[in-house]
Amino acid sequence: MTGKSDPAAAAIDNARAFMDAMLQSDWLELHIATDDFELFIAREGGGPNPMFAGAELDEVPAPAAAAKASAITAPHVATLVWAAQPGTNVAAGEALARISVLDEETDITAARSGRVVAVDAAPGELVEFGMTILQIVEAA
Amino acid sequence: MAIKRLFVANRGEIALRVVKAAQALNIETVVAVSDADRESAAAKMADRAVVLGPASAAKSYLDPRLVVHAARESGCDGLHPGYGFLSERAILPRLCEDHGIAFVGPRPDVIEALGDKLQARAMASAAGVPLVPGSENIASGADARREGDRIGYPVLLKAAAGGGGRGMVIANNGDEAEAGFQRASAEAEAAFGDGTMFMERFVPEARHVEVQLMGDGQGKVLHFGERDCSVQRRYQKLIEEAPCAAMSDELRAKLHKSAIDLAASVNYRNAGTAEFLFDVQRQEFYFIEVNARIQVEHPVSEMISSFDLVQEQIRIAGGAGLSVGQDDVVLSGHAIECRINAEDAARDFAPSPGRITRWDAPTGEGIRLDSHMAEGAMIPPFYDSMVGKLIAHGKDRAEAIDRLVGAIDDFVIEGVPTTLGLQRAIATHPDFVANTIHTRWLEQVVLPQFGKDAA
């Protein structure tokens, strides 16, 4: 069990939790800054985004289209039923893996078409939230 | 069958408390954590931690299927729900039953019945437990006067179809009851299309008392004395003590008997608390509700009884029955607990999560601290802001207060604002020392002044 949390997914979960907190409050604005994470949310009447203060909004160059593997992680604790084998090509929407919670199974599907390059968990294994199940390289 | 590996379905201080209790019984532990609690003290101390889901409680601690799946697949044969989260949701013990896991708590049907206020009241009434004196539906001003005279003033007139305080009137005598009925009934008719009213005795200065219970599920129930939790802010308890020093021994015996009768009538299993409103002037108590779980404030009962209630819970869930009889429960001295929250008193007690930069905890005779915090620990913003419970025990109430105030003074927490200052103001207040407080005392007397004296 060596899976590590995907930082992007963690950031999205954090952002969602802060948004929930914002919606339940009467705050006008919320600004959170940590070492690797900064978030600003405002309602009508909230202040300007401090992240833009004094910044020049340059054109951001598109990231180099290198074939970088991305991790498909467990969305919550579950038992892995099966995962696509390395080398499998999948189309967007196709199942990459199947997980089960109390014997109820759900599929994890590919957001984009690509090729499975590695599988990090074995069928029957308890995968925890954030653990990498497999890695995929997007189709060019 | 004794539990061999216990799943802890909670976080914070209670998760750590349960892990310690299990370890004292030589039981292995698996702690459920969210992504935000991977580094928690309970996770570090347990044999294993399983990450259920993201920080959001709805997708981790509050998802019963994820909890039971993680318990089953990590080989646990018992599950402790702690307090809050899923602890009083019948679905959790049901899923545990379906998957061969012993639930450390009451049976699901009992949780359900006690969770329904009307059913709980009916059960209390059937067991001979006193309820707040009240009326059936009232249809006229003359009825209101007659019922008010019978119940005793002051009374609270409430709209049968009402809610949210609309159509509610306090009446101090027969004339007010008649006039109040006309006004409140018309208001209810306009607001809800139904002018039917009913009446309850109003206790302006009530105390909150509760009895700690433990049942074997076969009809045998023990009590571990009562607690007084009258220091409240917005119905949240801030300070709890045991015993209730404002109650006579005679009434105390009646209170304990009522609580046991109610729990025994449903063959109550495991730890529970029967809560009552205590009318000090009349020296009467009325049933409020039963909390079907271990409570935050259980340590004060442990301090005066010398029993470990969480260990007792785990033993009972493992089928061992009660380890003692009522005569073995000997209560001595007085204990007071204060809840320390990371809240900013200057901003209306807004939760203030963050990192603890300094944590210097008090020690000493009669002092106990139940906390999952330490220097460098993080209080995540996703859950409640309690950082610990400070408990002081003494031979009597005065000594317990002295020790508590001394411990508060020795306690250094830096990095986040806490309620220690407020707790000190309460514990040293003449009304608290004289024990003349009630459930609205903190809001009416202390808070309006708090923070202004020093200015």
Side-chain angles (χ1 to χ4, degrees), chain B residues 263-321:
Chain B
S265 74
V266 293
N267 289 337
Y268 193 87
R269 183 182 76 192
N270 221 283
T273 300
E275 298 195 326
F276 298 87
L277 194 81
F278 174 29
D279 183 338
V280 182
Q281 263 183 330
R282 284 192 166 91
Q283 284 289 304
E284 286 178 17
F285 58 82
Y286 316 121
F287 173 74
I288 304 173
E289 63 179 349
V290 173
N291 289 155
R293 58 161 195 275
I294 192 79
Q295 281 186 301
V296 176
E297 59 268 30
H298 74 273
V300 289
S301 301
E302 295 185 323
M303 295 296 268
I304 63 162
S305 70
S306 302
F307 275 88
D308 188 307
L309 295 171
V310 178
Q311 286 186 28
E312 196 68 23
Q313 277 194 294
I314 297 169
R315 269 194 225 101
I316 290 171

Side-chain angles (χ1 to χ4, degrees), chain B residues 3-4 6 15-29 45-47 302 307-312 314-315:
Chain B
I3 292 168
K4 291 191 184 67
L6 183 68
L16 187 62
R17 169 85 183 82
V18 173
V19 168
K20 286 178 178 171
Q23 289 182 347
L25 296 169
N26 289 316
I27 293 171
E28 287 179 45
T29 50
M45 188 174 232
D47 295 292
E302 295 185 323
F307 275 88
D308 188 307
L309 295 171
V310 178
Q311 286 186 28
E312 196 68 23
I314 297 169
R315 269 194 225 101

Side-chain angles (χ1 to χ4, degrees), chain A residues 72 80-85 88-99 105-116 119 133-134 136:
Chain A
I72 305 298
L80 184 66
V81 180
W82 61 258
Q85 288 306 297
T88 310
N89 287 307
V90 289
E94 242 183 290
L96 283 169
R98 181 169 295 166
I99 53 174
E105 300 185 349
T106 42
D107 285 346
I108 296 175
T109 56
R112 295 178 199 82
S113 59
R115 188 164 51 85
V116 176
V119 178
I133 296 173
L134 48 76
I136 187 167

Side-chain angles (χ1 to χ4, degrees), chain A residues 1 3-5 10 13-14 16-18 20-21 75-79 100-104 124 126-131, chain B residues 34-36 38 48-56 59 63-70 72-74 95 99 381-382:
Chain A
M1 305 260 165
K4 278 196 78 180
S5 167
D13 285 319
N14 283 338
R16 188 175 293 129
F18 286 122
D20 286 344
H76 48 70
V77 71
T79 298
S100 112
V101 172
L102 294 182
D103 312 314
E104 206 176 283
L126 184 68
V127 288
E128 301 178 23
F129 167 76
M131 277 175 60
Chain B
S34 76
D35 193 37
R38 286 172 183 267
R48 182 179 173 185
V50 175
V51 188
L52 298 179
S56 157
K59 292 178 177 172
D63 187 323
R65 294 181 58 81
L66 295 187
V67 166
V68 175
H69 184 77
R72 189 184 77 177
E73 296 304 313
S74 58
L95 285 174
H99 295 279
F382 315 105

